[in-house]
Amino acid sequence: MRLLLVEDDPAFFEPLAADLRGAGYIVDTATDGAQGEFLGATEPYDAAILDLGLPKLAGLEVLKCWRDAGNHMPVIVLTARDAWHEKVDGFKAGADDYVCKPFHPQELLARLQAVLKRVHHFNQAKLKVFGVELDEDEQTAMVAGGEAQPLTAIEFRLLRYLMLNAGKVLSKAQLGEHVYSESAEPDSNVLEVYVKRLRKIVGNDLIHTRRGQGYLFGLKP
């Protein structure tokens, strides 16, 4: 999953970005509202974490720009402003959740997981699809109640994205955008290697290759 973190305080966003990466997310950062608005409007992010007090363009204006343009990307607002009417303004502008500073990173991660599951129509405590249960805290996969299998960072990102989009054909390019960081520049064949590894973990019948199209997570019709 690829996230956009828009925050102008380096002392704050650097450790937060590290926490998010540690939780298996690809994280792009913007340090002002104008940059954040541009990235959110032009890149295929799975969610954005948006501070309100930003230089060049206030966070609330960034959010309004995205929503006015029909951008439905989930957005969690971060702010030190905790008055009830300010939270109402944030939700009315299109925020999906609202986290007040200071907060514990685990709270933000839990809220982020909840928002992403809700967007993809899941409401279980753990992501579970077709008998595969993904533990997002431990980054393990368990099949049919069996032993938890540890996943590498890329295996975890790839399986989570496939499971959240179960039943949809995902192209290699689309998977690459949501699994790799821009600096990684993976070879196109590398993705096939990771899919092959995941098939050994979840079974050959759950990840299907659609020739010329990509991959699909689901049961055979």
Side-chain angles (χ1 to χ4, degrees), residues 66-85:
W66 288 340
R67 296 309 188 225
D68 288 346
N71 187 336
H72 301 296
M73 170 178 61
V75 176
I76 296 177
V77 166
L78 293 182
T79 182
R81 306 169 190 170
D82 59 356
W84 69 268
H85 58 85

PDB file of all heavy atoms in Angstrom, residues 66-85:
ATOM      1  N   TRP A  66      -8.784  18.157  -3.242  1.00  0.00           N
ATOM      2  CA  TRP A  66      -8.898  16.750  -3.647  1.00  0.00           C
ATOM      3  C   TRP A  66     -10.362  16.352  -3.810  1.00  0.00           C
ATOM      4  O   TRP A  66     -10.740  15.735  -4.798  1.00  0.00           O
ATOM      5  CB  TRP A  66      -8.238  15.850  -2.599  1.00  0.00           C
ATOM      6  CG  TRP A  66      -6.733  15.921  -2.573  1.00  0.00           C
ATOM      7  CD1 TRP A  66      -5.910  16.360  -3.572  1.00  0.00           C
ATOM      8  CD2 TRP A  66      -5.876  15.528  -1.493  1.00  0.00           C
ATOM      9  NE1 TRP A  66      -4.596  16.274  -3.173  1.00  0.00           N
ATOM     10  CE2 TRP A  66      -4.554  15.763  -1.917  1.00  0.00           C
ATOM     11  CE3 TRP A  66      -6.106  15.004  -0.229  1.00  0.00           C
ATOM     12  CZ2 TRP A  66      -3.460  15.483  -1.090  1.00  0.00           C
ATOM     13  CZ3 TRP A  66      -5.020  14.708   0.590  1.00  0.00           C
ATOM     14  CH2 TRP A  66      -3.711  14.954   0.163  1.00  0.00           C
ATOM     15  N   ARG A  67     -11.181  16.678  -2.829  1.00  0.00           N
ATOM     16  CA  ARG A  67     -12.583  16.254  -2.892  1.00  0.00           C
ATOM     17  C   ARG A  67     -13.336  16.960  -4.012  1.00  0.00           C
ATOM     18  O   ARG A  67     -14.166  16.347  -4.701  1.00  0.00           O
ATOM     19  CB  ARG A  67     -13.273  16.513  -1.542  1.00  0.00           C
ATOM     20  CG  ARG A  67     -12.710  15.701  -0.366  1.00  0.00           C
ATOM     21  CD  ARG A  67     -12.629  14.220  -0.664  1.00  0.00           C
ATOM     22  NE  ARG A  67     -12.277  13.425   0.497  1.00  0.00           N
ATOM     23  CZ  ARG A  67     -11.380  12.446   0.478  1.00  0.00           C
ATOM     24  NH1 ARG A  67     -10.723  12.157  -0.642  1.00  0.00           N
ATOM     25  NH2 ARG A  67     -11.134  11.741   1.578  1.00  0.00           N
ATOM     26  N   ASP A  68     -13.068  18.253  -4.228  1.00  0.00           N
ATOM     27  CA  ASP A  68     -13.735  18.983  -5.315  1.00  0.00           C
ATOM     28  C   ASP A  68     -13.393  18.375  -6.674  1.00  0.00           C
ATOM     29  O   ASP A  68     -14.179  18.461  -7.627  1.00  0.00           O
ATOM     30  CB  ASP A  68     -13.340  20.465  -5.302  1.00  0.00           C
ATOM     31  CG  ASP A  68     -13.975  21.214  -4.138  1.00  0.00           C
ATOM     32  OD1 ASP A  68     -14.905  20.670  -3.517  1.00  0.00           O
ATOM     33  OD2 ASP A  68     -13.525  22.342  -3.858  1.00  0.00           O
ATOM     34  N   ALA A  69     -12.198  17.777  -6.753  1.00  0.00           N
ATOM     35  CA  ALA A  69     -11.761  17.162  -8.015  1.00  0.00           C
ATOM     36  C   ALA A  69     -12.248  15.717  -8.146  1.00  0.00           C
ATOM     37  O   ALA A  69     -11.901  15.026  -9.109  1.00  0.00           O
ATOM     38  CB  ALA A  69     -10.238  17.217  -8.114  1.00  0.00           C
ATOM     39  N   GLY A  70     -13.022  15.250  -7.156  1.00  0.00           N
ATOM     40  CA  GLY A  70     -13.526  13.876  -7.225  1.00  0.00           C
ATOM     41  C   GLY A  70     -12.539  12.843  -6.763  1.00  0.00           C
ATOM     42  O   GLY A  70     -12.693  11.651  -7.066  1.00  0.00           O
ATOM     43  N   ASN A  71     -11.519  13.258  -6.026  1.00  0.00           N
ATOM     44  CA  ASN A  71     -10.512  12.337  -5.504  1.00  0.00           C
ATOM     45  C   ASN A  71     -11.048  11.695  -4.219  1.00  0.00           C
ATOM     46  O   ASN A  71     -11.251  12.369  -3.211  1.00  0.00           O
ATOM     47  CB  ASN A  71      -9.216  13.110  -5.215  1.00  0.00           C
ATOM     48  CG  ASN A  71      -8.065  12.208  -4.832  1.00  0.00           C
ATOM     49  OD1 ASN A  71      -8.275  11.087  -4.357  1.00  0.00           O
ATOM     50  ND2 ASN A  71      -6.849  12.676  -5.038  1.00  0.00           N
ATOM     51  N   HIS A  72     -11.272  10.371  -4.256  1.00  0.00           N
ATOM     52  CA  HIS A  72     -11.870   9.671  -3.118  1.00  0.00           C
ATOM     53  C   HIS A  72     -10.844   9.007  -2.209  1.00  0.00           C
ATOM     54  O   HIS A  72     -11.209   8.197  -1.359  1.00  0.00           O
ATOM     55  CB  HIS A  72     -12.857   8.618  -3.624  1.00  0.00           C
ATOM     56  CG  HIS A  72     -13.975   9.172  -4.450  1.00  0.00           C
ATOM     57  ND1 HIS A  72     -14.905  10.045  -3.930  1.00  0.00           N
ATOM     58  CD2 HIS A  72     -14.286   9.012  -5.762  1.00  0.00           C
ATOM     59  CE1 HIS A  72     -15.758  10.385  -4.876  1.00  0.00           C
ATOM     60  NE2 HIS A  72     -15.400   9.788  -6.003  1.00  0.00           N
ATOM     61  N   MET A  73      -9.573   9.308  -2.398  1.00  0.00           N
ATOM     62  CA  MET A  73      -8.516   8.718  -1.560  1.00  0.00           C
ATOM     63  C   MET A  73      -8.832   8.917  -0.072  1.00  0.00           C
ATOM     64  O   MET A  73      -9.155  10.032   0.361  1.00  0.00           O
ATOM     65  CB  MET A  73      -7.196   9.423  -1.910  1.00  0.00           C
ATOM     66  CG  MET A  73      -6.037   9.130  -1.003  1.00  0.00           C
ATOM     67  SD  MET A  73      -4.556  10.001  -1.590  1.00  0.00           S
ATOM     68  CE  MET A  73      -5.068  11.734  -1.487  1.00  0.00           C
ATOM     69  N   PRO A  74      -8.751   7.845   0.728  1.00  0.00           N
ATOM     70  CA  PRO A  74      -8.977   8.008   2.172  1.00  0.00           C
ATOM     71  C   PRO A  74      -7.957   8.974   2.782  1.00  0.00           C
ATOM     72  O   PRO A  74      -6.769   8.920   2.457  1.00  0.00           O
ATOM     73  CB  PRO A  74      -8.779   6.595   2.724  1.00  0.00           C
ATOM     74  CG  PRO A  74      -8.950   5.686   1.562  1.00  0.00           C
ATOM     75  CD  PRO A  74      -8.472   6.442   0.367  1.00  0.00           C
ATOM     76  N   VAL A  75      -8.430   9.838   3.665  1.00  0.00           N
ATOM     77  CA  VAL A  75      -7.558  10.845   4.272  1.00  0.00           C
ATOM     78  C   VAL A  75      -7.749  10.853   5.790  1.00  0.00           C
ATOM     79  O   VAL A  75      -8.881  10.983   6.277  1.00  0.00           O
ATOM     80  CB  VAL A  75      -7.856  12.255   3.713  1.00  0.00           C
ATOM     81  CG1 VAL A  75      -7.007  13.310   4.439  1.00  0.00           C
ATOM     82  CG2 VAL A  75      -7.593  12.308   2.216  1.00  0.00           C
ATOM     83  N   ILE A  76      -6.644  10.700   6.499  1.00  0.00           N
ATOM     84  CA  ILE A  76      -6.653  10.863   7.955  1.00  0.00           C
ATOM     85  C   ILE A  76      -5.997  12.206   8.264  1.00  0.00           C
ATOM     86  O   ILE A  76      -4.855  12.454   7.860  1.00  0.00           O
ATOM     87  CB  ILE A  76      -5.890   9.725   8.652  1.00  0.00           C
ATOM     88  CG1 ILE A  76      -6.596   8.384   8.398  1.00  0.00           C
ATOM     89  CG2 ILE A  76      -5.784   9.988  10.162  1.00  0.00           C
ATOM     90  CD1 ILE A  76      -5.877   7.187   8.989  1.00  0.00           C
ATOM     91  N   VAL A  77      -6.722  13.057   8.948  1.00  0.00           N
ATOM     92  CA  VAL A  77      -6.210  14.381   9.295  1.00  0.00           C
ATOM     93  C   VAL A  77      -5.451  14.306  10.616  1.00  0.00           C
ATOM     94  O   VAL A  77      -5.912  13.701  11.589  1.00  0.00           O
ATOM     95  CB  VAL A  77      -7.377  15.383   9.397  1.00  0.00           C
ATOM     96  CG1 VAL A  77      -6.946  16.669  10.087  1.00  0.00           C
ATOM     97  CG2 VAL A  77      -7.935  15.685   8.014  1.00  0.00           C
ATOM     98  N   LEU A  78      -4.261  14.921  10.632  1.00  0.00           N
ATOM     99  CA  LEU A  78      -3.470  15.061  11.858  1.00  0.00           C
ATOM    100  C   LEU A  78      -3.461  16.532  12.235  1.00  0.00           C
ATOM    101  O   LEU A  78      -3.224  17.381  11.379  1.00  0.00           O
ATOM    102  CB  LEU A  78      -2.024  14.634  11.632  1.00  0.00           C
ATOM    103  CG  LEU A  78      -1.719  13.176  11.337  1.00  0.00           C
ATOM    104  CD1 LEU A  78      -0.199  13.007  11.205  1.00  0.00           C
ATOM    105  CD2 LEU A  78      -2.255  12.281  12.421  1.00  0.00           C
ATOM    106  N   THR A  79      -3.706  16.816  13.492  1.00  0.00           N
ATOM    107  CA  THR A  79      -3.666  18.220  13.884  1.00  0.00           C
ATOM    108  C   THR A  79      -3.566  18.378  15.391  1.00  0.00           C
ATOM    109  O   THR A  79      -3.957  17.479  16.146  1.00  0.00           O
ATOM    110  CB  THR A  79      -4.932  18.950  13.385  1.00  0.00           C
ATOM    111  OG1 THR A  79      -4.846  20.334  13.740  1.00  0.00           O
ATOM    112  CG2 THR A  79      -6.174  18.344  13.989  1.00  0.00           C
ATOM    113  N   ALA A  80      -3.032  19.517  15.783  1.00  0.00           N
ATOM    114  CA  ALA A  80      -3.003  19.861  17.208  1.00  0.00           C
ATOM    115  C   ALA A  80      -4.279  20.575  17.605  1.00  0.00           C
ATOM    116  O   ALA A  80      -4.512  20.829  18.779  1.00  0.00           O
ATOM    117  CB  ALA A  80      -1.797  20.750  17.500  1.00  0.00           C
ATOM    118  N   ARG A  81      -5.139  20.882  16.605  1.00  0.00           N
ATOM    119  CA  ARG A  81      -6.398  21.570  16.876  1.00  0.00           C
ATOM    120  C   ARG A  81      -7.438  20.508  17.253  1.00  0.00           C
ATOM    121  O   ARG A  81      -7.825  19.698  16.418  1.00  0.00           O
ATOM    122  CB  ARG A  81      -6.872  22.319  15.634  1.00  0.00           C
ATOM    123  CG  ARG A  81      -5.821  23.272  15.075  1.00  0.00           C
ATOM    124  CD  ARG A  81      -6.252  23.757  13.703  1.00  0.00           C
ATOM    125  NE  ARG A  81      -5.179  24.492  13.031  1.00  0.00           N
ATOM    126  CZ  ARG A  81      -5.224  24.865  11.756  1.00  0.00           C
ATOM    127  NH1 ARG A  81      -6.268  24.576  11.009  1.00  0.00           N
ATOM    128  NH2 ARG A  81      -4.211  25.520  11.221  1.00  0.00           N
ATOM    129  N   ASP A  82      -7.876  20.536  18.502  1.00  0.00           N
ATOM    130  CA  ASP A  82      -8.773  19.469  18.949  1.00  0.00           C
ATOM    131  C   ASP A  82     -10.153  19.970  19.364  1.00  0.00           C
ATOM    132  O   ASP A  82     -10.922  19.239  19.984  1.00  0.00           O
ATOM    133  CB  ASP A  82      -8.139  18.681  20.100  1.00  0.00           C
ATOM    134  CG  ASP A  82      -7.820  19.565  21.302  1.00  0.00           C
ATOM    135  OD1 ASP A  82      -8.020  20.793  21.193  1.00  0.00           O
ATOM    136  OD2 ASP A  82      -7.374  19.027  22.330  1.00  0.00           O
ATOM    137  N   ALA A  83     -10.475  21.229  19.027  1.00  0.00           N
ATOM    138  CA  ALA A  83     -11.811  21.739  19.344  1.00  0.00           C
ATOM    139  C   ALA A  83     -12.846  20.981  18.510  1.00  0.00           C
ATOM    140  O   ALA A  83     -12.586  20.631  17.354  1.00  0.00           O
ATOM    141  CB  ALA A  83     -11.889  23.234  19.051  1.00  0.00           C
ATOM    142  N   TRP A  84     -14.020  20.752  19.083  1.00  0.00           N
ATOM    143  CA  TRP A  84     -15.023  19.938  18.384  1.00  0.00           C
ATOM    144  C   TRP A  84     -15.415  20.527  17.031  1.00  0.00           C
ATOM    145  O   TRP A  84     -15.614  19.794  16.052  1.00  0.00           O
ATOM    146  CB  TRP A  84     -16.259  19.756  19.265  1.00  0.00           C
ATOM    147  CG  TRP A  84     -17.062  21.021  19.487  1.00  0.00           C
ATOM    148  CD1 TRP A  84     -16.939  21.905  20.507  1.00  0.00           C
ATOM    149  CD2 TRP A  84     -18.085  21.533  18.624  1.00  0.00           C
ATOM    150  NE1 TRP A  84     -17.815  22.947  20.355  1.00  0.00           N
ATOM    151  CE2 TRP A  84     -18.544  22.731  19.203  1.00  0.00           C
ATOM    152  CE3 TRP A  84     -18.661  21.105  17.438  1.00  0.00           C
ATOM    153  CZ2 TRP A  84     -19.539  23.506  18.632  1.00  0.00           C
ATOM    154  CZ3 TRP A  84     -19.666  21.875  16.863  1.00  0.00           C
ATOM    155  CH2 TRP A  84     -20.095  23.058  17.456  1.00  0.00           C
ATOM    156  N   HIS A  85     -15.519  21.872  16.967  1.00  0.00           N
ATOM    157  CA  HIS A  85     -15.955  22.474  15.708  1.00  0.00           C
ATOM    158  C   HIS A  85     -14.892  22.355  14.628  1.00  0.00           C
ATOM    159  O   HIS A  85     -15.210  22.294  13.425  1.00  0.00           O
ATOM    160  CB  HIS A  85     -16.347  23.948  15.940  1.00  0.00           C
ATOM    161  CG  HIS A  85     -15.255  24.797  16.514  1.00  0.00           C
ATOM    162  ND1 HIS A  85     -14.312  25.398  15.722  1.00  0.00           N
ATOM    163  CD2 HIS A  85     -14.948  25.111  17.800  1.00  0.00           C
ATOM    164  CE1 HIS A  85     -13.471  26.081  16.496  1.00  0.00           C
ATOM    165  NE2 HIS A  85     -13.831  25.918  17.755  1.00  0.00           N
TER     166      HIS A  85
END
